[in-house]
Amino acid sequence: MRKISADLLFPISSPPVANGVVIFNDYGRILAVEPRDRHDPSTLEIHRGALTPGFVNTHCHLELSHLKGKVPTGTSLIPFITSVVRNRAASAEVIQDAIAHAEAEMIAGGVVAVGDISNVTDTFSQKKKGNLRYYTFVEMFDFLQENNAEAAFAQYDAVFQQAPFGNGNTRSRCPHAPYSVSKNLFARIKAANPAADATVSIHNQETQPETDLFLQKSGAFVDFYKGFGVSLDAFEAMGRTSIYYALAFMNPKVRTLFVHNTLTSAADLAAAQAWSDRVYWATCPNANLYIENRLPNYQLFMDACARLTIGTDSLTSNWSLSILDEMKTIQKYQSYVPFETVLRWATLNGAEALGMEKELGSLEPGKTPGVNLLTLDLGGRLTEQSTVQKII
């Protein structure tokens, strides 16, 4: 049994507790959350700082970890994608070593669960070790080619069949993004996934060319596909933003995790949340700055009572896989967002989005959420100098 106490305790599911104590059994399961004055100080592990649940990284591309520092910043999304395609090849040894180091970085940074995108099987051997809980999103795309949907589905479903399941691992089939998935492939993915108990991830409204494509079939994506010899002759613009295309073909009964959402408007938010009460939104602020030099307007999401979560994207598009660094970026550039709100995005909202809230996300009896120790300023606020230490 361990009794861990700090100046502040953030259960997330209830208000912060000054000088609180979290009592754990030998397996990391919480037995009780109590005031410090009920305990003999000699029985406590007392820390300066704030105790929080372990972080949940809802969007990562662990398989791209070997590309750290190889893709330039500030290029916008389409040149970024092109650079990834050109630089992705590497030896199996290099790829596996980078994956293991990236996972170790997340663990040291207090992450307990990851929503991880997989196009190939490179991360699966690491995930089977059970060091972290993973929700593997096997991502599918056919570049809007309706006639290629079946072949694309078969290609990526073969990856899905090998994805780890059990021992903390979960999996689902997912569309990559509205601009890369045909109606037929959307239908195949929807039919193959569980009818209700699943999370489906999709990249959403990350760049202006995505909006241009769906509004009027113009912009950089038209040239991008042409450069790869892909015809868009059969594609018809909707005259509406891309999220409406996704909503038309996805399943409102499963948890849906929209990722990035850099250009998502109040109207887009309202449409998605009217479509389903199981919608979540993953923000990856440092990746947004790395690729597009812009951030979502978080006030819109808060006004809509949207359930935001936090991801890191990959080491291809980020300087680290630190959820704390993502929180600092939000607080730096949009400091009106309360710290407790950002902390909930990084913990309980993320656990709910991945269907892991029964075990993770909050300091409550019966859960095994892990515990992080954060350093805050005297007012209980996050600063650029704040650090995180994994306690359990």
Side-chain angles (χ1 to χ4, degrees):
M1 180 184 295
R2 294 178 67 181
K3 299 179 180 181
I4 303 173
S5 182
D7 304 316
L8 271 175
L9 189 157
F10 289 93
I12 308 301
S13 56
S14 58
V17 179
N19 300 314
V21 177
V22 189
I23 305 172
F24 292 88
N25 68 13
D26 294 339
Y27 303 98
R29 191 169 297 280
I30 296 175
L31 301 176
V33 178
E34 298 177 347
R36 188 185 294 177
D37 58 15
R38 293 187 188 177
H39 298 268
D40 179 347
S42 66
T43 67
L44 302 177
E45 300 175 35
I46 300 177
H47 299 272
R48 298 303 305 272
L51 296 179
T52 77
F55 297 144
V56 179
N57 181 349
T58 56
H59 184 73
C60 188
H61 294 253
L62 193 60
E63 67 190 22
L64 299 179
S65 299
H66 63 289
L67 294 179
K68 183 177 182 179
K70 293 187 177 181
V71 177
T73 63
T75 63
S76 77
L77 182 64
I78 292 177
F80 172 83
I81 294 172
T82 303
S83 293
V84 171
V85 172
R86 289 175 177 168
N87 291 287
R88 184 163 182 165
S91 70
E93 182 180 2
V94 167
I95 291 171
Q96 291 303 314
D97 185 63
I99 288 168
H101 278 87
E103 181 187 75
E105 177 186 336
M106 285 194 284
I107 292 171
V111 170
V112 294
V114 184
D116 188 57
I117 301 293
S118 292
N119 304 125
V120 293
T121 61
D122 289 347
T123 60
F124 294 175
S125 60
Q126 189 68 34
K127 289 172 178 175
K128 289 176 181 177
K129 296 178 181 180
N131 298 326
L132 288 172
R133 290 178 169 92
Y134 284 98
Y135 203 120
T136 297
F137 298 119
V138 178
E139 195 175 65
M140 304 185 176
F141 49 88
D142 61 0
F143 304 110
L144 297 173
Q145 304 303 294
E146 301 288 352
N147 293 335
N148 292 341
E150 197 61 41
F153 180 84
Q155 174 186 344
Y156 294 111
D157 197 57
V159 175
F160 173 83
Q161 298 301 334
Q162 299 176 67
F165 188 76
N167 190 31
N169 285 295
T170 312
R171 62 188 179 182
S172 66
R173 305 164 181 87
C174 298
H176 168 254
Y179 59 79
S180 62
V181 177
S182 71
K183 298 174 184 178
N184 287 342
L185 184 54
F186 264 116
R188 289 293 282 118
I189 293 168
K190 180 178 178 180
N193 275 332
D197 190 20
T199 301
V200 174
S201 166
I202 183 169
H203 292 80
N204 178 62
Q205 297 177 297
E206 189 176 357
T207 187
Q208 185 60 41
E210 179 178 345
T211 301
D212 296 338
L213 179 66
F214 281 88
L215 287 180
Q216 53 202 13
K217 197 177 178 179
S218 65
F221 266 119
V222 176
D223 295 331
F224 173 76
Y225 281 132
K226 185 177 180 180
F228 281 94
V230 176
S231 172
L232 290 181
D233 289 347
F235 174 79
E236 296 182 3
M238 298 176 62
R240 307 178 82 182
T241 55
S242 59
I243 196 170
Y244 290 91
Y245 175 71
L247 297 177
F249 299 104
M250 296 180 74
N251 182 1
K253 295 181 180 179
V254 301
R255 295 178 296 270
T256 302
L257 182 63
F258 291 103
V259 178
H260 292 303
N261 316 300
T262 319
L263 299 177
T264 301
S265 69
D268 297 329
L269 279 162
Q273 301 205 155
W275 171 76
S276 172
D277 62 358
R278 308 194 77 190
V279 167
Y280 292 83
W281 309 85
T283 184
C284 307
N286 283 327
N288 294 157
L289 293 175
Y290 193 110
I291 299 171
E292 291 269 341
N293 282 326
R294 65 192 303 171
L295 293 173
N297 180 347
Y298 295 119
Q299 187 64 59
L300 296 179
F301 291 84
M302 292 192 296
D303 290 345
C305 298
R307 289 169 293 199
L308 270 165
T309 70
I310 297 178
T312 60
D313 217 336
S314 74
L315 285 174
T316 319
S317 59
N318 205 332
W319 299 271
S320 77
L321 298 182
S322 166
I323 292 295
L324 178 60
D325 285 351
E326 304 296 328
M327 295 166 66
K328 288 179 180 180
T329 295
I330 295 169
Q331 295 273 270
K332 179 179 181 179
Y333 291 102
Q334 299 189 37
S335 59
Y336 59 83
V337 183
F339 167 67
E340 288 182 44
T341 298
V342 176
L343 184 57
R344 184 182 178 100
W345 297 352
T347 55
L348 186 54
N349 281 10
E352 290 176 350
L354 300 184
M356 299 179 182
E357 73 277 9
K358 290 181 180 179
E359 292 288 332
L360 308 180
S362 60
L363 300 177
E364 297 181 80
K367 290 191 174 186
T368 56
V371 175
N372 292 337
L373 178 68
L374 289 184
T375 58
L376 303 174
D377 68 12
L378 294 177
R381 294 178 295 269
L382 197 65
T383 72
E384 287 288 336
Q385 288 72 44
S386 292
T387 61
V388 60
Q389 177 186 349
K390 178 181 173 63
I391 302 296
I392 290 182

